[in-house]
Amino acid sequence: MNAQLKPLQTGDFRLLIGGRLVPGASTIDVINPATEQVVAACPRADVAQANEAVAAAKAAFPAWAARPLAERRALLMKLADAIDARVAELAPLLTQEQGKPLGGAFFELMVASANIRGIAALDLPVATVKETAEARVVRVRSPLGVVAAITPWNFPVIMMVTKLTPALLAGNTVVVKPAPTTPLTTLKVGELCAEIFPPGVVNVIADANDLGGVLTAHPDVAKIAFTGSTATGRKVMASAAPTLKRLTLELGGNDAAIVLDDVDPKDIAPKLFFAAMVNSGQVCLAAKRIFVHESIYDAVCAELAKLATAAKVGNGLDEGVEFGPLQNRMQFEKVKAIIEDARAHGKIIAGGQPHQGPGFFIQPTIVSGLPDSARLVCEEQFGPVMPVLKYSKLEDAIARANTSEYGLGATVWSKSPERAYEVAMKLDTGTVWINKHLDLPPGVPYGGTKQSGYGVELGQHGLEEFTQAKIINMAK
Ligand code: ADP
């Protein structure tokens, strides 16, 4: 075990409600996916505490909304500084609850504070819609009220701050609810918020997967910012309908990577490998279907197999580990079943061996020769498993990529920017990267088409989703 880790006690974690750090009505054990041991007993809010959190956010809203944006920005910048200052303590905690290697945990926290700074630097200026001799029409952006930020378990801290920051900058108040398997680092960021923001502006509750619905149906919640599965996203939308809540839904993906015939297999393989395997494949924007031209198919498969075999999988706290376990048992079992289906319908050319012993580990796995109907190709698999699919005509690869019900992201790989751009134009997704992957700077929005979501996060557009556009039409 890493020397800097202290044993964690139940009392180490508190909910944040109305500016007070409080115990939950009960507790829920958080399991380390590398060891299957309890990391800590986490406070678990009940419905009354969820309602209290919403009431506190509602009460704090008028004063927070009335503060100048520059003051709200300054406090957000303090939060970014506070995360940076505590990174040595937060990163090992994130590794223990989430499973990702320590380097990945440090990276997540660094991206989180960079996102806070990048989003908080944005502005909501008054826009002139029309100016004539008779009239001046402007559009202002008002906050909505209480925002519920509901986050998943793959990037708990990035997902939290990517919702919290624009919500607060725009003048809303927030109730954050992390996933029940990764609440601990979020609660620690909640403690930092308690020192920085006025009571009630930020509230953080944790649950056993039972309070999301309370927030999405609550009449005093004006907006839901949600990242999670498409199935749960549909429930969120239905639950939000009676009160017409504003929604940002970042849902599933089954992103295609289209590899053109002009790339060098040796050069492309590590890039594709990263695009598919980063965070052990538990990324909504991971490359999950790799379409490779037949002329380089065998060579690309061979290079990918070498990388997968050499990859170091293990406890994220151990030196040199590149890939941690899957985050929870349910996900682990699901991915194992998908691998068995792939074994039956294609050829496993690396990985794919069952893991013995504790921990939800899966060695990066490469599968060739699968039909598009295999589960690994047509379902959103959230694991370190990569189907490499052969194509001969580019138009067919594009059509196959577009058959997915999802439309989150895609990548195109080619030496020719013009050819790649042409392909990008034909892909029905919210983002297409050309010759790169997962470049998500805070100023650039991303979102999904089709069943991948609703609305965008990041950038000016992402910020504006936490506001109501209001028109003021003045006679001259
Ligand atoms: P997974 O990615 O494990 O399938 P979900 O998409 O269900 O998980 O979870 C993402 C987040 O949504 C988590 O914080 C989870 O607790 C929350 N959640 C689960 N069910 C609901 C619901 N009915 N309404 C709102 N949020 C929910």
Side-chain angles (χ1 to χ4, degrees):
M1 244 210 187
N2 192 304
Q4 63 194 307
L5 293 177
K6 293 189 304 222
L8 297 159
Q9 307 296 331
T10 309
D12 283 337
F13 299 94
R14 292 275 187 269
L15 310 175
L16 173 60
I17 301 176
R20 291 186 313 126
L21 294 167
V22 297
S26 61
T27 61
I28 176 172
D29 284 345
V30 174
I31 305 296
N32 181 335
T35 60
E36 299 184 51
Q37 305 284 310
V38 175
V39 179
C42 172
R44 174 184 171 189
D46 61 8
V47 173
Q49 288 182 308
N51 287 333
E52 241 180 84
V54 175
K58 186 183 177 185
F61 173 64
W64 180 249
R67 284 176 83 153
L69 185 140
E71 284 184 28
R72 299 195 295 255
R73 172 184 296 133
L75 295 184
L76 284 161
M77 295 298 186
K78 279 193 181 173
L79 177 60
D81 293 345
I83 291 175
D84 286 349
R86 298 281 285 276
V87 76
E89 172 195 341
L90 296 175
L93 177 63
L94 182 56
T95 291
Q96 287 176 92
E97 66 171 339
Q98 205 285 332
K100 65 186 65 194
L102 204 49
F106 274 100
F107 182 73
E108 169 158 1
L109 290 157
M110 205 182 78
V111 171
S113 59
N115 276 6
I116 295 174
R117 292 192 182 96
I119 298 169
L122 297 170
D123 205 353
L124 290 166
V126 175
T128 301
V129 177
K130 185 178 169 187
E131 177 96 67
T132 64
E134 294 80 36
R136 175 168 155 72
V137 183
V138 297
R139 186 188 62 224
V140 298
R141 296 258 169 203
S142 321
L144 298 165
V146 178
V147 170
I150 301 178
T151 57
W153 44 255
N154 57 349
F155 292 95
V157 186
I158 292 178
M159 292 296 151
M160 173 196 191
V161 304
T162 301
K163 293 165 172 53
L164 185 76
T165 307
L168 294 182
L169 185 72
N172 305 281
T173 54
V174 180
V175 178
V176 176
K177 192 210 79 63
T181 55
T182 54
L184 300 176
T185 319
T186 306
L187 290 173
K188 285 289 166 197
V189 176
E191 282 181 25
L192 303 179
C193 289
E195 289 167 14
I196 295 169
F197 298 101
V201 168
V202 179
N203 305 271
V204 185
I205 58 172
D207 71 346
N209 222 23
D210 54 342
L211 295 179
V214 173
L215 297 176
T216 57
H218 200 296
D220 291 333
V221 171
K223 163 151 184 136
I224 312 289
F226 171 86
T227 301
S229 65
T230 296
T232 304
R234 291 191 185 108
K235 287 188 204 160
V236 170
M237 199 167 187
S239 168
T243 44
L244 287 185
K245 290 183 183 23
R246 278 34 178 180
L247 295 173
T248 305
L249 303 177
E250 293 299 338
L251 308 179
N254 194 1
D255 292 10
I258 304 209
V259 184
L260 272 57
D261 54 8
D262 58 2
V263 301
D264 170 7
K266 268 201 169 22
D267 172 61
I268 198 70
K271 295 171 185 164
L272 293 173
F273 190 72
F274 171 81
M277 303 298 185
V278 57
N279 211 37
S280 296
Q282 302 167 114
V283 184
C284 52
L285 283 154
K288 298 193 179 82
R289 296 176 293 153
I290 318 297
F291 294 95
V292 179
H293 189 262
E294 58 185 1
S295 61
I296 51 170
Y297 184 82
D298 291 341
V300 170
C301 283
E303 292 297 325
L304 288 171
K306 272 192 235 165
L307 293 166
T309 307
K312 182 144 189 251
V313 178
N315 186 327
L317 292 179
D318 293 344
E319 199 74 27
V321 164
E322 297 166 299
F323 299 96
L326 295 202
Q327 201 282 316
N328 57 73
R329 177 166 290 283
M330 209 169 80
Q331 196 53 35
F332 181 54
E333 297 300 337
K334 187 176 160 194
V335 173
K336 281 197 300 184
I338 288 178
I339 290 176
E340 287 322 307
D341 181 79
R343 200 187 304 283
H345 296 100
K347 186 170 173 208
I348 295 191
I349 56 173
Q353 300 308 316
H355 166 73
Q356 308 296 336
F360 308 139
F361 296 104
I362 292 185
Q363 182 74 24
T365 298
I366 313 289
V367 189
S368 66
L370 276 178
D372 287 6
S373 57
R375 288 187 64 192
L376 181 60
V377 185
C378 61
E379 285 183 25
E380 186 201 18
Q381 51 94 10
F382 226 57
V385 193
M386 205 172 167
V388 192
L389 307 162
K390 193 187 283 187
Y391 74 85
S392 45
K393 289 203 186 76
L394 191 52
E395 286 305 318
D396 291 345
I398 296 166
R400 287 161 69 192
N402 282 338
T403 55
S404 174
E405 62 171 337
Y406 297 110
L408 197 53
T411 54
V412 185
W413 305 87
S414 171
K415 286 204 172 117
S416 156
E418 294 77 22
R419 285 180 77 202
Y421 188 81
E422 229 177 90
V423 176
M425 288 299 286
K426 292 177 181 167
L427 290 169
D428 185 4
T429 60
T431 299
V432 183
W433 283 286
I434 295 177
N435 294 330
K436 59 170 151 176
H437 179 240
L438 272 193
D439 178 26
L440 287 167
V444 178
Y446 76 99
T449 66
K450 302 190 277 188
Q451 303 301 298
S452 287
Y454 204 88
V456 298
E457 287 197 316
L458 299 181
Q460 188 68 24
H461 292 95
L463 171 62
E464 288 173 2
E465 292 202 13
F466 289 89
T467 67
Q468 174 67 47
K470 183 161 92 183
I471 298 297
I472 303 180
N473 191 334
M474 297 164 269
K476 275 192 176 165

